[in-house]
Amino acid sequence: MTSSRANDAHLIEFLTDLFGPSRVLCRPHQLAAYECDGYVAQTGLPRAVVFPETTDEVAQVVRYLHEHEVPFLPRGAGTGLSGGAMPRNGEVVISLVRMNKLLRVDFDNLRAVVQPGHVNLQLTRKISAQGYYYAPDPSSQSVCTIGGNLAENAGGSHCLKYGVTTNHIVAAKVVLPTGDVVDIGAEFGDALGYDLLGLVVGSEGTLGIATEITVKILKKPEAVRTALAMFDTVADAADTVTDIIGAGIIPAAIEMMDQLAMQAVDKSNYHVGYPKDIEAVLLIEVDGMAAGLEDVAAEIVHICHKHNVRTVKVAASDEERALWWSSRKMAFGATGRISPDYIVQDGVIPRTKLSQVMARIQQLSEESGLRIANVFHAGDGNLHPLICYDSRVPGQTELATRVGSEILKACVDAGGSITGEHGVGVEKIEEMRYMFDDTDLAAQAAVRQVFNPADLCNAGKLIPKPARCAEVKHMQRLIEQHAEVFRDLEDQTLTLRS
Amino acid sequence: MTSSRANDAHLIEFLTDLFGPSRVLCRPHQLAAYECDGYVAQTGLPRAVVFPETTDEVAQVVRYLHEHEVPFLPRGAGTGLSGGAMPRNGEVVISLVRMNKLLRVDFDNLRAVVQPGHVNLQLTRKISAQGYYYAPDPSSQSVCTIGGNLAENAGGSHCLKYGVTTNHIVAAKVVLPTGDVVDIGAEFGDALGYDLLGLVVGSEGTLGIATEITVKILKKPEAVRTALAMFDTVADAADTVTDIIGAGIIPAAIEMMDQLAMQAVDKSNYHVGYPKDIEAVLLIEVDGMAAGLEDVAAEIVHICHKHNVRTVKVAASDEERALWWSSRKMAFGATGRISPDYIVQDGVIPRTKLSQVMARIQQLSEESGLRIANVFHAGDGNLHPLICYDSRVPGQTELATRVGSEILKACVDAGGSITGEHGVGVEKIEEMRYMFDDTDLAAQAAVRQVFNPADLCNAGKLIPKPARCAEVKHMQRLIEQHAEVFRDLEDQTLTLRS
């Protein structure tokens, strides 16, 4: 299916003609930087890396790669945590970092149009003076790109109130894996026809490459109140979360950290000074109109007290609030202070199962002998267990991976899901079977076939093969036949248009 | 493609065996009630109507119809406004009204599971005593079903703050057009893999039949404040809407009615007493925590005054609020008081283009000599022009239809869309070309092919044929070939599972 190395000379010649030598990387030492993303457990070398600057350049390179059956994948900032941008088939990596422009802002109608390489936080910075911001805020927001956020349907601390990326992208121009360019979604009004935009958001780069992205921007809330609450037990903290939501309050964010996570954070530069013997801390934020927000904050403090909080305080200044948030946002990095290696897991559970699943995680930690820190978006039940291990000890990497998989199983058994915001990628492709049977997976695979008939675009990610028995070969042959017909159909469509 | 009438005897025998005679309708006078839905401009007789009570019954009948190449379509309460449930190919109508159970409620985790025939408002009634409700509130909510809401991605007055149906459905069990049963979405956590749920919501019954639907329920807001503001000019009302949103207030609803709509309403039983010479009235509602809500209401009143409001008042009692809302919700029906016939249109525009598009509607009214009332969700720019005509006057039906189409064109030209919440169905299938080119439509058609390979399930709705030139025949042959391969693939999948 893939072209031989002998043909690579032609490929590089084509790429260099199209992009010029400064926008093509093909030497081994250059390619090494692109062998993985934020998921480092697996790596693979790309065939080349290119840096398009326009939709037309993306379409041209994709059309060429499609015609010559060369695998390829798109890449943003490479901060993904499940290996979505990891080359596993000697792909040509199409880096979108040079397509980083803000194309248009419409403040009155709350829309902005960006190129895919635009950095998430930069958008907020550019519209902040006028009083606006872009809501989705993954921890990596200072470097990750909105194109990457689209691919992974990125979340963030404030998605409890504001929703994940799919709620904030309203339209996109997309280069399909065949090189065709389509416009999907609608700048105003909900999707009509089939919601192809919803399909592409979160498709982890397997259905095409977005080259223009229209997002909602929001007016900055008039006021914000942030509370930090420390609890003797995880159960008390968990009950507090359930009660706050049950009272009809929708906080902008409710974050939880457990004892080990607090220890890690206190060892780093973000020193909040958590007591050593508390089991859980909650960071609770509400925002909105200034009128009445004090009362809402007071109600939250009251609910904390009902559940035996040891101490709870509302931030007295912007500086205090910023310190608390840094301490939370840097928790992943701080884990490096207490362990040579760690895996960040990402499961979702019903809020009410928090204590139960935390107990199971504790049990897995004791059984495996691996420490597990927990840092998570408690409000929407999105856990991030950090499994600490030492890759220098033989077998520990595999053990940590197995423990991660067991945690995901516990999430699914509790009625939850195997990923909240980090995606499936290569990391969790087998765990998809915990949630979907062969018919479900066949339906998903069929959708991929439509847009990605030759499976050249980020193959081997997201959807596992529907079945593993002997007959799978026959099925694959049928899929390939189907792809053939589809290619004909597309040629036909192109003919009709020309 | 469809079986001949000669085979109908076998079909009716099968249906009667499966459902018993009381759950099969096949006589002409019985079928007449199913010849259209709320869109009455086109009608067609179904071959039969059946009333399944379980997922398994739905799967059995669909599998039989698929195998025997008999067209079919699902139907809820038949309140749709774009002809989505209208039989245009002698379909077997699968009515879901008997599948109307509330299967499960999880108050702590804010989820409910219903069958598709469950009436929208009944869900809120059943959970209201505990303090919860289901947010999407189309005007037909007292009779329409949640299955129908899923198919049409229904909106409603309060979707400005709370979002349309797709934001409230988290998972579903779906019988595909082949009879396969799949589970899509996730009760907790966002969709993983491809967002097939997002694809099925709003697919207007063309991708399958949902038989179990998991929805979000919300805690009722602690307090509500509703203001009624009357303006001398549409422009002042429109600027008020823009300014309220610009102030960072997100009202639960902002509804607008123009002069003709107010006249109609005042002639009906919902007598508010609008002055005859005002051009526009706004109904503005905010909800949330009680603390501070008065201040928000006061801010809204202040903004109205900045834009020359003639009178504005906040509802003094629940009764007054209910009267105002009845007057708005019954506006469609009340139009029957001023015109023998009318078409409800449904376009979306950027909020800031409100005055401009209203002027174009006025111009079309003058040119055509047809009166047009306007009732709409102003907050999200979702217009509902009511085009008044008299079907007894030769040519007026066609004229009204043409005016409707011109209004949609004006919406698209202003950067908007041809439907906000009523769907495409048969009504707007040609207007899809205003928004999508052949490549875009081919991508949509390809998605339909995946789930609906023989195009038996609600054919001829939603997506127009990608092209109309001579070569379209060749293209269709390719599509059929592709369908063939896909059927083989599915047979294969079934073999694998058995």
Side-chain angles (χ1 to χ4, degrees), chain B residues 351-362:
Chain B
R351 260 189 310 271
T352 49
K353 300 286 176 69
L354 208 52
S355 302
Q356 172 193 323
V357 175
M358 289 287 282
R360 171 73 181 138
I361 292 174
Q362 181 58 29

Side-chain angles (χ1 to χ4, degrees), chain A residues 418-464:
Chain A
I418 60 166
T419 173
E421 55 187 19
H422 296 178
V424 173
V426 294
E427 184 196 13
K428 299 185 187 178
I429 195 158
E430 288 309 317
E431 281 81 0
M432 286 287 275
R433 297 182 201 280
Y434 292 166
M435 301 198 64
F436 298 110
D437 68 16
D438 280 350
T439 317
D440 299 338
L441 292 173
Q444 301 237 5
V447 168
R448 161 138 50 183
Q449 277 301 114
V450 169
F451 294 98
N452 197 354
D455 209 14
L456 292 170
C457 182
N458 217 3
K461 311 281 174 75
L462 190 57
I463 313 291

Side-chain angles (χ1 to χ4, degrees), chain B residues 12-32:
Chain B
I12 301 300
E13 194 183 323
F14 168 81
L15 296 176
T16 311
D17 281 355
L18 179 58
F19 294 107
S22 70
R23 290 197 281 139
V24 179
L25 305 182
C26 54
R27 298 194 182 157
H29 71 280
Q30 295 173 318
L31 300 179

Side-chain angles (χ1 to χ4, degrees), chain B residues 200-217:
Chain B
V200 167
V201 175
S203 64
E204 304 192 6
T206 65
L207 299 185
I209 304 178
T211 57
E212 274 185 37
I213 304 170
T214 307
V215 301
K216 291 184 192 171
I217 57 175

Side-chain angles (χ1 to χ4, degrees), chain B residues 227-272:
Chain B
L228 191 74
M230 300 181 189
F231 294 87
D232 288 340
T233 70
V234 168
D236 277 336
D239 290 345
T240 302
V241 174
T242 300
D243 256 22
I244 290 171
I245 308 277
I249 301 171
I250 302 173
I254 307 184
E255 302 287 301
M256 197 191 289
M257 289 196 287
D258 74 357
Q259 207 167 53
L260 188 57
M262 283 183 275
Q263 280 174 26
V265 165
D266 261 358
K267 281 202 180 143
S268 78
N269 293 323
Y270 302 92
H271 185 82
V272 177

